[in-house]
Amino acid sequence: MAEQQPQNFLEVEVKLAVDESTGMPDLTQLPGVEEIAGTREHNLSAVYYDTKDLRLTRSKITLRRRTGGADDGWHMKLPQGSARKEVRMPLDDPAQVPEALRAQVRAIVRTEELTPVAQVDNRRVEITLAGEDGPVAEFCDDHVTAWSLLPGGERTNWREWEIELTDALAGTEEGNTLIEQASSFLIAAGARKSSSPSKLATALGDAVKTAPLPPHMQGSLDDDSPAAAVVSSLSKQRDAIVDWEPRVRADEWDSVHQLRVSTREMRSLLETFEGILEGEELGRLEDELKHAAGVLGVARDAEVVEERFAELLDSDESGLIDDAARAHIAGDMRRDYNDAHAEIIAMLDSDRFMDLLDSIDALLADPPIAAGDESKKEEKKQSKEVLYDHLKRGYKKLRKRHEKVGEHYYDTDLPLHEREDYVHDVRKAAKKLRYSAVAAQDAGLKAGRLAKACKRLQSQLGDFQDAVTSRDRIERLANEARERGEDTFAYGMLYQRELARGEEALRGYDDTVREVRKAFKKVKP
């Protein structure tokens, strides 16, 4: 039998600590609450799961198996802005974490075993609060007994009040107002802000300190060294990759693009700062990041082209796009994207991708800092000077590629795609220089203006490249339509529009490059 699909809920709540002797307030005095719609008592028991190095807990994620109450089952809670997303699955196998939940945190957990780390038993009085149009929130009076299952863990008892919005109000302005007013009301009634973010955190207590750190948190470098600045930037991209991976699985908007950006930025940093970090492992890591970005790129290109096709169709006033062409233009790219997204999921589930994540963590835990005569020379320089030298090399590469654009782009004796590739090379150089400038800025170098100028250039040339990619897909669709015996006039018309949009994207290109040059001159070691 196929595993059931998880159910997703948005959890918006506030938890407050309260003494055992504190009396219950009149909850109908809460703004927006007209009556008590029901009261129930539950005896809840939850076993929380995590890796031995508490990867979920450190990521503010909880995974529990709970019995008792109306929502028996497996529950996973993940951060989502100021709220949390709760994912639930039934207790088909109480001894086995459902694969659908494990997939949500695969990039964090990897192949590590998930085992019990705490048990939380709770005698709960649950009160349904209703307004004029029905239930608005659940108020819970919890009497908790918890055991930390970590080495040195202890038994703990406490009481807390919790108020959680119903699904209808969660994420709404009305619901946010109710939560704020309820928090103030309950504090006035004798509660206080809790010093712990969750029942699990309270249950684990100081025993958390006995757990080993995950690999990526184990490294330690001199904060003033060039390597520390580079590793800090790499660490940010590592966290971004791990954060975007489950969103790509869920096919959230822009998630494929953001995961691809993170993998490419990490690869670019490794290439740009070669000489600060070194070793054969860096080359292998760059190749693996390139592979991942390539798989993501197929779906991203389909996504971009689909958006551009929709815009072209919506803005067409000619009336010359026939129904057959419109159907293929609107539908074929969606099928391309769905196929490419399936390939991404296969990649994310692969041992190869897990090995890539492990390799990144190993690098952060023990950075391969350059050794030898060259590094000794750099050790004598200030960190900012070392990073400036790498920025300078990146800027020179951009400038040389820009010169080739001036030399070849308007040479109509060359094939169109060859001329366009020169422009694309400038974009890639601008992207690398931007990533390097951000890393240098984090280390204290005044490179913020350079990063912004490179971002503008990268964006401008990105619009140009999107037009090129879209044009190529239109040509492919036209060839397929011709093979089916269909009229291809509409495709030619759209091709010409994208050609014009590409030229429009390049308007002011020289001025944008000039801004990069001015910004680089302002950077001083």
Side-chain angles (χ1 to χ4, degrees):
M1 177 182 289
E3 187 177 76
Q4 294 188 45
Q5 293 301 307
Q7 293 180 296
N8 296 327
F9 302 87
L10 182 65
E11 181 185 78
V12 180
E13 65 180 13
V14 62
K15 295 178 184 289
L16 298 167
V18 62
D19 295 332
E20 285 290 341
S21 59
T22 302
M24 287 277 292
D26 179 3
L27 297 172
T28 60
Q29 297 301 306
L30 271 170
V33 175
E34 299 293 329
E35 63 175 347
I36 303 299
T39 300
R40 295 169 297 278
E41 291 192 17
H42 301 293
N43 288 311
L44 309 174
S45 183
V47 176
Y48 287 81
Y49 286 72
D50 207 339
T51 60
K52 63 183 179 181
D53 51 9
L54 302 181
R55 298 185 182 192
L56 296 181
T57 301
R58 299 183 199 279
S59 300
K60 298 181 174 58
I61 297 171
T62 59
L63 170 63
R64 72 187 179 198
R65 184 193 70 219
R66 190 164 81 176
T67 56
D71 59 351
D72 282 4
W74 291 95
H75 301 167
M76 178 178 284
K77 298 185 180 183
L78 306 102
Q80 186 164 310
S82 59
R84 289 198 294 179
K85 181 174 77 170
E86 182 173 344
V87 187
R88 299 178 189 169
M89 294 201 70
L91 283 175
D92 293 336
D93 183 354
Q96 184 70 35
V97 177
E99 180 58 31
L101 289 186
R102 190 178 180 96
Q104 297 267 342
V105 291
R106 192 181 304 279
I108 298 173
V109 173
R110 321 263 171 90
T111 58
E112 293 295 306
E113 184 180 6
L114 289 167
T115 58
V117 295
Q119 179 173 335
V120 176
D121 291 349
N122 181 12
R123 180 168 56 84
R124 166 171 286 182
V125 177
E126 185 179 274
I127 301 172
T128 301
L129 309 179
E132 293 181 355
D133 300 323
V136 294
E138 295 283 354
F139 175 85
C140 299
D141 183 12
D142 291 340
H143 297 261
V144 186
T145 301
W147 297 265
S148 171
L149 305 179
L150 299 177
E154 299 178 347
R155 172 174 169 160
T156 315
N157 297 280
W158 72 92
R159 183 187 179 198
E160 69 182 31
W161 286 343
E162 175 185 307
I163 186 163
E164 180 178 348
L165 297 177
T166 59
D167 293 341
L169 264 67
T172 67
E173 186 174 342
E174 180 185 356
N176 292 338
T177 299
L178 176 58
I179 281 286
E180 291 174 5
Q181 292 175 335
S183 181
S184 298
F185 174 80
L186 295 174
I187 288 174
R192 60 187 179 277
K193 292 183 178 180
S194 176
S195 60
S196 177
S198 67
K199 288 183 175 66
L200 174 61
T202 304
L204 293 177
D206 290 339
V208 168
K209 299 175 183 177
T210 67
L213 289 173
H216 72 284
M217 299 178 66
Q218 294 177 9
S220 178
L221 290 173
D222 180 0
D223 289 342
D224 293 329
S225 70
V230 176
V231 169
S232 176
S233 293
L234 292 172
S235 181
K236 289 178 182 178
Q237 296 313 312
R238 177 264 178 206
D239 291 346
I241 290 171
V242 170
D243 183 53
W244 282 107
E245 191 265 6
R247 302 187 196 186
V248 169
R249 289 179 179 277
D251 203 12
E252 292 184 15
W253 182 81
D254 202 41
S255 59
V256 171
H257 171 58
Q258 294 299 333
L259 181 56
R260 186 188 185 206
V261 166
S262 299
T263 56
R264 295 175 77 177
E265 183 163 348
M266 176 172 280
R267 177 171 174 256
S268 181
L269 287 168
L270 291 173
E271 289 179 338
T272 302
F273 292 111
E274 184 180 353
I276 293 178
L277 302 179
E278 67 177 13
E280 293 182 2
E281 177 62 13
L282 292 187
R284 190 190 71 82
L285 191 53
E286 289 170 20
D287 289 342
E288 291 301 301
L289 289 165
K290 182 179 181 179
H291 167 76
V295 175
L296 293 162
V298 176
R300 176 56 183 166
D301 286 348
E303 189 175 43
V304 167
V305 172
E306 182 185 25
E307 291 173 358
R308 293 181 75 90
F309 282 5
E311 184 182 345
L312 286 169
L313 292 175
D314 289 344
S315 62
D316 178 63
E317 298 178 353
S318 70
L320 297 175
I321 302 178
D322 60 271
D323 291 341
R326 186 176 291 272
H328 280 290
I329 291 168
D332 286 8
M333 293 314 303
R334 174 46 38 177
R335 286 190 287 275
D336 282 359
Y337 174 80
N338 289 337
D339 290 345
H341 190 266
E343 291 296 323
I344 291 174
I345 299 303
M347 178 191 74
L348 298 180
D349 286 338
S350 69
D351 291 341
R352 182 175 184 175
F353 189 72
M354 291 298 102
D355 289 343
L356 168 61
L357 296 180
D358 286 343
S359 296
I360 293 171
D361 285 357
L363 180 144
L364 296 175
D366 186 18
I369 301 173
D373 293 338
E374 190 63 29
S375 67
K376 290 179 181 179
K377 293 177 183 178
E378 291 197 335
E379 284 176 1
K380 296 179 181 179
K381 300 180 182 179
Q382 295 295 319
S383 173
K384 293 179 182 179
E385 292 177 326
V386 175
L387 294 172
Y388 177 78
D389 287 344
H390 285 270
L391 281 184
K392 188 175 181 179
R393 286 197 287 270
Y395 173 71
K396 285 183 177 179
K397 179 178 289 187
L398 186 149
R399 190 181 64 193
K400 288 180 179 178
R401 292 185 175 184
H402 168 62
E403 290 171 353
K404 288 186 177 181
V405 170
E407 181 180 353
H408 300 295
Y409 183 71
Y410 295 102
D411 181 0
T412 54
D413 290 335
L414 296 175
L416 177 60
H417 268 304
E418 182 178 333
R419 292 186 281 132
E420 291 171 335
D421 284 344
Y422 287 112
V423 178
H424 189 45
D425 286 343
V426 174
R427 178 175 181 249
K428 290 189 287 186
K431 177 182 63 179
K432 288 185 178 182
L433 183 57
R434 173 193 165 199
Y435 296 158
S436 303
V438 170
Q441 184 184 18
D442 290 343
L445 206 62
K446 293 182 178 180
R449 181 177 172 182
L450 177 61
K452 290 179 181 179
C454 288
K455 184 177 181 179
R456 286 193 294 271
L457 179 58
Q458 181 187 345
S459 177
Q460 180 180 18
L461 299 186
D463 291 341
F464 173 80
Q465 188 60 33
D466 287 346
V468 173
T469 302
S470 176
R471 212 180 62 225
D472 287 346
R473 295 301 176 98
I474 291 171
E475 183 178 3
R476 189 198 74 183
L477 290 176
N479 290 333
E480 292 173 355
R482 188 178 297 108
E483 291 176 0
R484 294 191 298 267
E486 296 173 1
D487 186 357
T488 60
F489 176 81
Y491 298 101
M493 183 176 65
L494 295 179
Y495 184 97
Q496 192 62 36
R497 285 188 187 175
E498 285 291 42
L499 193 62
R501 291 174 76 181
E503 289 300 319
E504 178 65 24
L506 288 183
R507 183 173 295 178
Y509 161 72
D510 288 332
D511 292 337
T512 312
V513 173
R514 195 173 296 115
E515 287 301 314
V516 173
R517 184 179 70 243
K518 291 179 180 178
F520 178 75
K521 288 181 177 180
K522 295 292 184 180
V523 181
K524 300 295 181 183

